[in-house]
Amino acid sequence: MEKVDLIILGAGPGGYRAAEYAAKQGLKVVVFEGSEVGGTCLNVGCIPTKTYVHSATFAEARERMATVVAQLRQGVEGILSHPNITLVRENGVFTDAHTVGDYTADNIIIATGSETKWLPIKGKDDPRVVDSTGLLNLETQPKRLAIIGAGVIGMEFASVFNRFGTEVTVIEYLKECLPALDSDIAKRLRKYLEKQGITFKMKTAVEDIAAIDADVVLMATGRKPRTEGLGLEAIGVNLAPNGAIPVDDNYQIVNGQWPNGKCYAIGDVNGKQMLAHAAEMQAIHAVNQIIGKKDGIDFSIMPAAIFTQPEAACVGPTEDLLKEQGLAYECKKSFWRANGKAMAMNETEGLLKLFVSPDGLILGCHAYGAHSADIIQEVSVLMCKHTTMAELADMVHIHPTLSEILKSAVD
Ligand code: FAD
């Protein structure tokens, strides 16, 4: 049994970032990964889907996806070849609270990610039914695609396949798509995509797959933490009702048997914020806890984007939530159609809503429109720095750029 400083289970964005950072701090690290390095994000998530978004045809998307994924995977292999890191190419299983495989450590990070949540709908074993990974593996473009679920994954694929010329129908149980997005913005985006040819069946529950008239059916009804086979029961970890590993604000597991050491669960497996950049920042924070270093990461400011065309993005609460909580706020709006760069780009569809407190602080911002993720990123930085409206009004923005859409909301 070899003793090391840190054992990490999983080499997705959470796991490989934790390994890279810990190794640079001088810790001896062992990473277990039973599949390709890079995790869901690199192999079957963020990166392949975004190569689809930026390809003109299905055939081009498939070709580019393979090249881009292979290149980035090589980059992660490079990161994990650091002399302080040992990569064990198998799944890790706890044999006791400090031991995984042939290694033992006081500190352990579980970063095993998530997997598709299959709804128990009648006919779900129909060969036409695929999850996001199955859809990315299709070799021929479907003529008709039905998508169950209008969340982020469903909406991104709907937008992409509609652009490729596939007939797309989205079926959603709720009244609006993208529940984490401001409902006004979500509705406008859905209406715009409807005009582009996507059919939406809202407030509709799928009861039997056999009733769906399509060549391929994408199950996009969410993801669940991946914990099976880790041996957590044996070391006293009780999962939350949603299957996540329960953690505190420092991502340390709140139950289990770690009298002399620490065990963390970061990324999708803790079910908190299922985003690649959240996993990476949680990784840094967990390692900082291990080495006793203070950091100023504010996990309450977590920007997110939806890569439809045009894209949508948000940071902070929706207007609906602000109303529900009875918080005082002002909503400042700005439109893509009034922006010179957007007009020049022929990308005039879009709206930004900025929510401001009575003392001028930014509470949140939700938007859809070309490159809205970049604009929301600026808002996130301003929120991290507690910038006021008056200070933002004094900041010069390049003309002509889409960033002036944010500036106009303030002016
Ligand atoms: P993962 O990336 O899932 O990595 C976990 C790793 O652990 C895997 O490699 C797995 O093989 C390994 N593993 C599992 N069990 C074990 C074990 N017992 N021992 C060792 N290793 C194990 N997020 C964004 O921020 N932006 C996007 O645009 C975006 N697009 C997405 C598109 C799709 C289609 C999907 C499915 C997801 C998307 N996501 C996106 C979400 C993003 O992929 C995840 O939030 C991110 O991958 C989580 O990282 P992670 O490290 O927690 O887990």
Side-chain angles (χ1 to χ4, degrees):
M1 193 70 56
E2 188 178 337
K3 175 128 198 209
V4 293
D5 299 314
L6 172 64
I7 295 173
I8 300 173
L9 291 97
Y16 75 71
R17 190 60 72 213
E20 178 187 36
Y21 182 58
K24 280 186 182 158
Q25 308 302 312
L27 301 191
K28 286 273 175 220
V29 183
V30 169
V31 181
F32 283 84
E33 172 56 69
S35 187
E36 298 282 7
V37 300
T40 303
C41 178
L42 197 162
N43 296 292
V44 290
C46 330
I47 300 300
T49 52
K50 267 82 258 177
T51 39
Y52 270 53
V53 170
H54 293 283
S55 300
T57 65
F58 178 78
E60 183 196 335
R62 283 198 56 75
E63 202 182 306
R64 288 192 56 238
M65 176 177 79
T67 318
V68 172
V69 168
Q71 215 170 346
L72 285 169
R73 210 185 274 146
Q74 232 175 26
V76 177
E77 295 274 358
I79 287 173
L80 297 176
S81 65
H82 189 285
N84 281 355
I85 301 175
T86 303
L87 175 61
V88 181
R89 292 183 187 271
E90 60 189 53
N91 274 341
V93 183
F94 282 90
T95 46
D96 68 45
H98 294 286
T99 311
V100 181
D102 295 335
Y103 294 90
T104 173
D106 286 342
N107 301 296
I108 297 185
I109 294 180
I110 303 175
T112 49
S114 63
E115 57 200 2
T116 302
K117 190 162 69 188
W118 294 87
L119 284 193
I121 299 173
K122 188 172 170 211
K124 74 171 172 52
D125 298 327
D126 186 317
R128 295 177 301 154
V129 182
V130 294
D131 66 355
S132 55
T133 305
L135 192 62
L136 288 169
N137 283 336
L138 283 188
E139 281 172 13
T140 45
Q141 184 182 343
K143 277 205 168 71
R144 292 166 312 158
L145 170 67
I147 299 177
I148 306 176
V152 177
I153 292 176
M155 292 296 281
E156 288 188 358
F157 276 117
S159 173
V160 155
F161 275 86
N162 177 58
R163 246 183 351 94
F164 289 160
T166 291
E167 203 180 291
V168 178
T169 303
V170 179
I171 309 163
E172 167 60 54
Y173 179 71
L174 298 174
K175 115 170 176 241
E176 196 44 84
C177 65
L178 300 167
L181 199 62
D182 187 84
S183 60
D184 179 18
I185 300 273
K187 184 176 175 186
R188 285 169 189 256
L189 175 63
R190 175 171 59 82
K191 291 279 171 203
Y192 179 77
L193 293 175
E194 219 160 40
K195 274 197 235 150
Q196 307 303 305
I198 300 173
T199 303
F200 286 94
K201 293 187 179 168
M202 308 305 287
K203 294 201 260 181
T204 307
V206 175
E207 273 157 18
D208 190 348
I209 299 289
I212 298 178
D213 192 18
D215 309 313
V216 173
V217 179
L218 169 66
M219 185 78 87
T221 47
R223 295 183 61 82
K224 60 172 190 188
R226 196 193 282 124
T227 54
E228 224 180 284
L230 281 172
L232 293 178
E233 325 69 50
I235 48 171
V237 176
N238 298 314
L239 300 179
N242 66 352
I245 300 182
V247 291
D248 63 14
D249 290 345
N250 292 319
Y251 306 101
Q252 201 168 335
I253 300 180
V254 294
N255 53 41
Q257 306 166 359
W258 288 283
N260 309 313
K262 293 171 180 170
C263 188
Y264 298 81
I266 59 163
D268 283 10
V269 77
N270 66 32
K272 285 198 163 211
Q273 296 157 316
M274 288 183 155
L275 293 163
H277 46 280
E280 291 197 36
M281 293 308 282
Q282 291 174 13
I284 303 294
H285 189 66
V287 174
N288 279 340
Q289 294 296 305
I290 291 167
I291 61 176
K293 183 175 167 189
K294 246 182 118 57
D295 63 47
I297 305 170
D298 183 349
F299 287 98
S300 72
I301 301 172
M302 185 56 65
I306 301 111
F307 295 94
T308 42
Q309 279 200 339
E311 66 196 30
C314 60
V315 58
T318 61
E319 186 165 15
D320 318 75
L321 190 66
L322 290 170
K323 279 186 186 152
E324 205 179 293
Q325 294 179 338
L327 292 174
Y329 72 94
E330 190 187 343
C331 173
K332 294 174 176 291
K333 291 185 184 175
S334 181
F335 292 88
W336 262 246
R337 62 171 182 264
N339 174 271
K341 180 71 178 280
M343 286 171 77
M345 291 164 69
N346 201 18
E347 293 272 10
T348 50
E349 184 68 26
L351 164 66
L352 175 141
K353 289 171 76 176
L354 186 69
F355 309 121
V356 184
S357 72
D359 51 0
L361 284 172
I362 302 172
L363 299 170
C365 187
H366 288 236
Y368 84 107
H371 300 281
S372 51
D374 300 336
I375 300 175
I376 292 296
Q377 185 56 51
E378 180 183 348
V379 179
S380 300
V381 174
L382 297 173
M383 286 173 74
C384 284
K385 294 288 162 203
H386 311 288
T387 309
T388 63
M389 281 299 95
E391 286 166 333
L392 173 55
D394 285 347
M395 291 175 185
V396 180
H397 283 64
I398 304 170
H399 176 75
T401 59
L402 297 175
S403 73
E404 289 171 297
I405 294 169
L406 174 63
K407 187 75 162 45
S408 316
V410 180
D411 298 339

